[in-house]
Amino acid sequence: MRNLLYMCVFLFVSTLTAQEIKWMTFDEALAAQKETPKKIIVDAYTTWCGPCKLLDRNTFGNKEVADFINEHYYPVKFNAEGTEEVNYLDNVYTNPRHDPNRRGRNSQHEFAQAMKLRGYPSIVFFDEQGNYIQPVVGYKTPRQLEIFLKMIQNDDYKDLTTQDKWQAYQDNFKYTFGE
């Protein structure tokens, strides 16, 4: 009986850890790229954003999404109204107008401004050299995010230069992630 209990606890814990994304800072991701080139995915969120919390729980907590991101990307969790210092392209980005006593919305971080973020959550992609690719704004289910994860990872986005090509890509995309 005790062995069965231990087995159940082990399976539960291993399932939880298998679904966790190994988040890092943007500076850590850039440093990791120098050792082993991979694209970067940034989850730009705010503390007051309800859809950000849903994205974290429902989408980034999905095993298929987490496993894919951990294998193919350096995942970055970035508070777009926080105080983290970001070193990117010979610039140091901060949030000098951040008010630690303010509840709810705060000033936007300079790095969020540099990424041209206009809504949250935003999922931002960078290539293997740290060059900005594009943001995807708003809450996405695992299935909705899958097309972007795979399109960017496979460099298919480079050929999608018109709305017709993007529509054809969507029409022919084979989804494998469950909801």
Side-chain angles (χ1 to χ4, degrees):
M1 184 68 172
R2 181 182 286 185
N3 288 343
L4 182 60
L5 180 62
Y6 286 133
M7 174 98 59
C8 288
V9 169
F10 174 76
L11 288 174
F12 178 74
V13 170
S14 64
T15 301
L16 285 179
T17 57
Q19 294 178 356
E20 288 186 15
I21 293 177
K22 297 170 183 73
W23 297 108
M24 55 180 55
T25 67
F26 195 76
D27 288 355
E28 290 169 340
L30 290 174
Q33 274 190 329
K34 291 178 183 172
E35 296 293 318
T36 306
K38 276 205 254 188
K39 290 180 174 68
I40 295 173
I41 182 172
V42 176
D43 172 23
Y45 72 96
T46 64
T47 58
W48 50 263
C49 169
C52 297
K53 291 172 178 63
L54 288 173
L55 181 71
D56 215 26
R57 184 178 64 234
N58 299 339
T59 304
F60 292 135
N62 176 284
K63 180 179 176 8
E64 292 167 305
V65 172
D67 289 347
F68 190 87
I69 288 173
N70 285 332
E71 181 178 347
H72 298 287
Y73 290 91
Y74 289 117
V76 172
K77 179 73 76 177
F78 176 70
N79 182 348
E81 293 180 352
T83 58
E84 175 185 339
E85 185 175 287
V86 176
N87 298 285
Y88 179 62
L89 298 179
D90 298 322
N91 292 306
V92 177
Y93 296 95
T94 62
N95 191 350
R97 294 176 311 282
H98 180 268
D99 180 355
N101 299 315
R102 187 169 183 171
R103 297 175 63 101
R105 294 178 188 249
N106 214 310
S107 64
Q108 188 179 44
H109 196 285
E110 292 171 340
F111 189 56
Q113 292 173 11
M115 292 188 291
K116 299 176 178 68
L117 301 185
R118 301 291 176 248
Y120 302 105
S122 285
I123 302 164
V124 188
F125 294 93
F126 293 81
D127 70 14
E128 293 85 350
Q129 289 76 44
N131 298 309
Y132 180 85
I133 298 174
Q134 75 175 53
V136 176
V137 180
Y139 173 79
K140 302 290 182 240
T141 65
R143 194 166 182 87
Q144 290 170 327
L145 184 58
E146 179 182 10
I147 193 168
F148 296 101
L149 290 173
K150 293 181 177 177
M151 173 189 66
I152 300 291
Q153 193 269 328
N154 293 325
D155 289 331
D156 294 340
Y157 70 95
K158 293 178 179 179
D159 298 324
L160 303 178
T161 56
T162 67
Q163 186 61 36
D164 289 340
K165 288 181 180 181
W166 170 235
Q167 187 61 54
Y169 187 83
Q170 291 177 81
D171 292 343
N172 295 313
F173 187 79
K174 304 290 186 238
Y175 291 90
T176 61
F177 291 1
E179 288 298 319

